[in-house]
Amino acid sequence: MITIQLNGERREIPEGLTVTGLLKFLQFPADRVAVERNLEIVPRGQWDATAIEAGDRLEVVHFVGGG
């Protein structure tokens, strides 16, 4: 297990996850979120190749529809 900051809170997650794996682990709907890692937006096309490392600071933002 490694420790990260997720949306301002300390979290323990399995080691070796990518952004895609993190979203699956957290059960977040990948089609409705944006991910920022260490103050940089991670493009959706790079989620599978972007490893989450101990100490990373992540923000996951949910898109909300409405009118």
Side-chain angles (χ1 to χ4, degrees), residues 34-57:
V35 179
E36 178 185 281
R37 177 177 171 253
N38 300 325
L39 304 176
E40 293 187 18
I41 298 293
V42 181
R44 190 174 301 269
Q46 294 179 11
W47 286 4
D48 288 337
T50 302
I52 305 300
E53 300 176 5
D56 277 353
R57 293 174 40 196

Side-chain angles (χ1 to χ4, degrees), residues 8-32:
E9 296 184 14
R10 189 175 162 157
R11 293 284 300 257
E12 296 282 327
I13 63 167
E15 190 172 358
L17 293 180
T18 63
V19 171
T20 300
L22 176 68
L23 295 176
K24 286 180 184 176
F25 174 75
L26 298 171
Q27 299 180 344
F28 287 167
D31 62 336
R32 294 186 212 130

